[in-house]
Amino acid sequence: MPAFAPEIDWTVPGRVLTAEQKANYEREGFLVIRNVVPRYELERFKNRFQDICNKVDVPVNMVVMRDISIAKSEFVAGEKAITKVQDFQEDPVLFDFCKHPTIVDVVKDLIGKPSDTMMAMHTMLINKPPDTGALTSRHPMHQDLHYFPFRPADYICCAWTAMERVNRANGCLVVVPGTHKGDLKVHEYPKWEGGVNKAYFGIQDYDPNMPRLHVEMEAGDTVFFHPLLIHGSGANKTDGFRKAISCHYANDKLCHYIDVKGTTQENIRVEALDMAKKKMSKYGFSAPELEYAEIWKLRGRAVNGTRANL
């Protein structure tokens, strides 16, 4: 097996992380750091999310998603209707999360060097309203790399910040430690009785007996994890909400695009291209033959330095 992220020396402290923290990430594939994002910043993000729910100044390229169990309901609106805001790279308030210095410094210790340019490649604000009873608020166990047409995986990292308390009752993240050193698994839509949300692919042969860890967090806590780490989340069985904001970063110096056509990622490639074409048509633009990587080139934004490779 090739060395894990050979560009990183896992035996010495980083700019902000201790050698022990780096070793934990290298071994387990994730790292939880407490009190990373201040409460006042989280309130800004929550307020902006409320505006988006009310259709205030929503960027054209932003994707606003509803849960499949209430997607066509006229009686569920606002915060209870919206489950995810995706692609907020053009939103100046929410994109401040991706540029947060403390987060970027940690990411650089995990996937690069202080001088490397970090790209924000995938942005999401995930809202779990109280489950309707169909259990559609859960997310199947999956690997984020299934969605990405860029590599190497070791130089991609997600920062996922709890915007309020997250625990087993409201559907916290569930991770399988150490799985980041395995292969990318085959993903399909799970055959759930209540249905499954758009693009919620899950590992086809996932073994439920694998040792799992529930990552319970307080507002402002952040978990950093590898894109091959197997993870998911449960249903929100409370009367409240479970909000988190996240960004996937890639090292612009070390990562490059690949062609995923005809691979196990073909299902998400076809679905994403179809969604992009429909959105372009909705706004009166012609829908040319796009390459999957082109969608990601449009999504990507540098959070420091000068963009060159991605």
Side-chain angles (χ1 to χ4, degrees):
M1 179 182 293
F4 178 79
E7 293 283 337
I8 312 296
D9 186 343
W10 298 102
T11 65
V12 300
R15 184 179 181 184
V16 295
L17 296 180
T18 65
E20 182 180 3
Q21 287 174 315
K22 288 176 61 180
N24 185 80
Y25 180 87
E26 190 274 338
R27 181 179 63 253
E28 305 290 347
F30 71 98
L31 176 68
V32 178
I33 301 182
R34 307 296 179 183
N35 297 313
V36 173
V37 180
R39 298 294 179 100
Y40 69 86
E41 291 282 17
L42 298 177
E43 288 303 312
R44 286 180 65 227
F45 303 150
K46 284 183 180 180
N47 291 338
R48 180 62 187 126
F49 175 69
Q50 294 290 349
D51 284 345
I52 292 168
C53 290
N54 294 321
K55 301 181 180 180
V56 176
D57 297 329
V58 179
V60 170
N61 59 346
M62 180 180 284
V63 178
V64 180
M65 303 175 68
R66 292 165 65 95
D67 189 276
I68 189 174
S69 64
I70 52 93
K72 297 181 180 179
S73 173
E74 298 178 1
F75 305 103
V76 182
E79 190 178 21
K80 286 190 174 182
I82 306 303
T83 59
K84 185 185 292 185
V85 170
Q86 188 167 284
D87 299 335
F88 59 67
Q89 65 273 9
E90 299 294 342
D91 189 282
V93 174
L94 295 183
F95 195 69
D96 276 349
F97 169 78
C98 303
K99 298 187 295 182
H100 195 281
T102 305
I103 289 178
V104 174
D105 284 345
V106 172
V107 169
K108 285 184 176 183
D109 276 355
L110 296 175
I111 63 172
K113 300 176 181 177
S115 59
D116 290 347
T117 297
M118 295 294 141
M119 294 290 297
M121 299 299 294
H122 190 218
T123 54
M124 294 187 295
L125 193 157
I126 312 107
N127 181 45
K128 269 188 193 284
D131 195 89
T132 62
L135 297 179
T136 49
S137 65
R138 57 185 168 164
H139 198 300
M141 300 299 281
H142 65 284
Q143 297 163 299
D144 289 340
L145 193 67
H146 178 68
Y147 299 88
F148 303 154
F150 43 91
R151 301 290 190 276
D154 290 349
Y155 303 107
I156 304 167
C157 177
C158 179
W160 192 101
T161 297
M163 297 176 67
E164 51 209 339
R165 176 177 294 172
V166 298
N167 52 34
R168 295 186 68 167
N170 65 12
C172 66
L173 285 184
V174 181
V175 303
V176 184
T179 49
H180 64 303
K181 293 187 178 180
D183 298 323
L184 178 61
K185 308 295 185 182
V186 175
H187 288 61
E188 301 286 352
Y189 277 117
K191 296 177 176 60
W192 288 346
E193 184 177 343
V196 61
N197 284 309
K198 191 77 169 176
Y200 276 32
F201 289 94
I203 295 173
Q204 191 174 37
D205 60 350
Y206 172 71
D207 180 1
N209 294 315
M210 297 178 76
R212 301 183 300 171
L213 177 68
H214 290 81
V215 186
E216 297 192 320
M217 303 161 68
E218 298 293 333
D221 295 348
T222 302
V223 56
F224 299 84
F225 60 92
H226 191 281
L228 279 172
L229 183 76
I230 295 175
H231 67 288
S233 63
N236 181 2
K237 299 178 181 179
T238 73
D239 295 328
F241 295 85
R242 193 228 70 180
K243 293 185 183 66
I245 186 168
S246 71
C247 178
H248 281 87
Y249 298 86
N251 187 318
D252 184 62
K253 176 183 176 182
L254 301 175
C255 290
H256 58 273
Y257 288 106
I258 64 169
D259 184 3
V260 301
K261 187 175 183 179
T263 70
T264 60
Q265 295 177 254
E266 177 71 2
N267 51 11
I268 185 59
R269 185 190 78 88
V270 170
E271 188 166 299
L273 288 172
D274 182 61
M275 291 170 64
K277 290 177 181 178
K278 287 180 178 178
K279 186 152 193 174
M280 291 176 69
S281 178
K282 177 182 177 181
Y283 288 99
F285 298 106
S286 60
E289 288 301 316
L290 296 171
E291 295 294 336
Y292 190 40
E294 290 178 319
I295 296 176
W296 291 92
K297 289 178 183 178
L298 292 173
R299 281 175 167 158
R301 293 288 183 277
V303 296
N304 71 290
T306 302
R307 179 180 188 173
N309 203 22
L310 294 173

